[in-house]
Amino acid sequence: MASITLNNIVKKYDDGFPAVNNVSLDIADGEFVILVGPSGCGKSTLLRMIVGLEDITSGELQIDGTRMNEAAPKDRNLAMVFQNYALYPHLTVYENIAFPLRLAKRSGGSNGSNGDSTGGANGGAGGGSVDDRVRKAAEMLELTEHLERKPANLSGGQRQRVAMGRAIVRQADAFLFDEPLSNLDAKLRGQMRAEIAQLQRRLGVTSVYVTHDQTEAMTLGDRVAVLKKGELQQVASPRELYEQP
Ligand code: ADP
Ligand code: ADP
């Protein structure tokens, strides 16, 4: 687990217009922060800069107090959960969940440091064998009976759980959710929302969760950050933000 600090973060794409403008936010270790705002306000851009999929134009990103602007995505030990699941169709549920661990192993463990301060680095000896970790995650997510199935044969909710299983086995320092439930129907969305809330409480892992769904914002987060035209308008508890005077 880790804290995430954004100091005056700016992102300008080629057109020079700031997609993210001077955003500063301290996300505490174990905190669940929801990022809301209209389409195009810079939510995805901000997440992508945190995970390292997008360069930061100016400002500083810190993870546990260490500058991370220049760190490669694999050295940030953050797990991203996307709305389109990003599962491998030819792999089973087991193999999909195990994938990040096998990858880390094969690349000789990019986690060169001793990992004391950064927590369990991917694929490290930390949390038992690959098999133990995959099975434990599958149990938490009620996927144990589905381990040998392929994503095509799963429901939307199950696929979403596989995507979360992947994030869990990595023992990432933080989870970054990019509208993970937006492809699901309303009923399933409600169910998955409850599951994510429960899981986050159980794991206590630092999370940043992008959504445009007000119910998710109200029920999931410790704090809600409101972004508008690239700027942070307000950061407040769901209660302060949504429960009226
Ligand atoms: P949101 O996730 O809130 O919908 P985005 O972060 O996707 O917002 O986009 C923020 C702004 O940056 C928008 O004006 C969008 O058009 C622009 N933008 C996003 N990605 C790119 C890109 N790759 N190149 C140029 N402009 C981009
Ligand atoms: P480790 O890297 O932890 O040593 P292995 O790849 O050796 O993991 O697998 C250990 C055990 O995990 C195997 O004996 C098997 O029971 C289980 N296992 C591995 N791959 C799969 C798979 N694709 N489907 C189901 N079980 C698997």
Side-chain angles (χ1 to χ4, degrees), residues 144-226:
T144 304
E145 297 97 274
H146 307 294
L147 283 173
E148 297 305 322
R149 299 172 76 187
K150 300 271 173 72
N153 304 319
L154 300 175
S155 71
Q158 289 167 337
R159 282 181 212 167
Q160 189 57 61
R161 282 190 223 140
V162 177
M164 285 168 52
R166 259 210 207 141
I168 291 171
V169 291
R170 281 187 47 191
Q171 299 175 313
D173 289 330
F175 290 173
L176 303 172
F177 297 92
D178 195 358
E179 305 205 33
L181 308 185
S182 60
N183 283 346
L184 305 178
D185 64 48
K187 181 158 171 259
L188 197 52
R189 199 154 57 221
Q191 193 184 319
M192 289 301 297
R193 196 195 322 123
E195 284 184 25
I196 289 177
Q198 198 185 23
L199 202 65
Q200 205 274 347
R201 239 173 285 132
R202 188 138 41 125
L203 296 173
V205 64
T206 312
S207 302
V208 184
Y209 188 107
V210 166
T211 184
H212 57 255
D213 182 306
Q214 189 169 320
T215 312
E216 288 172 30
M218 275 164 47
T219 55
L220 283 175
D222 297 316
R223 283 193 300 162
V224 181
V226 184

Side-chain angles (χ1 to χ4, degrees), residues 13 43-54 80:
Y13 287 109
K43 304 183 295 294
S44 298
T45 300
L46 196 53
L47 268 201
R48 291 165 58 80
M49 285 191 284
I50 296 172
V51 282
L53 296 173
E54 202 76 71
M80 189 109 168

Side-chain angles (χ1 to χ4, degrees), residues 14-32:
D14 293 340
D15 61 8
F17 189 81
V20 169
N21 200 5
N22 234 21
V23 166
S24 295
L25 183 63
D26 281 314
I27 301 167
D29 202 348
E31 193 179 15
F32 198 142

Side-chain angles (χ1 to χ4, degrees), residues 4-13 19-24 44-63 66-72 76 78:
I4 299 173
T5 305
L6 310 176
N7 277 331
N8 300 311
I9 297 283
V10 175
K11 175 66 185 184
K12 290 180 181 165
Y13 287 109
V20 169
N21 200 5
N22 234 21
V23 166
S24 295
S44 298
T45 300
L46 196 53
L47 268 201
R48 291 165 58 80
M49 285 191 284
I50 296 172
V51 282
L53 296 173
E54 202 76 71
D55 288 337
I56 296 169
T57 306
S58 68
E60 187 170 71
L61 165 71
Q62 296 175 357
I63 297 177
T66 303
R67 178 182 168 95
M68 281 288 165
N69 292 46
E70 291 79 19
R76 298 184 189 199
L78 308 173

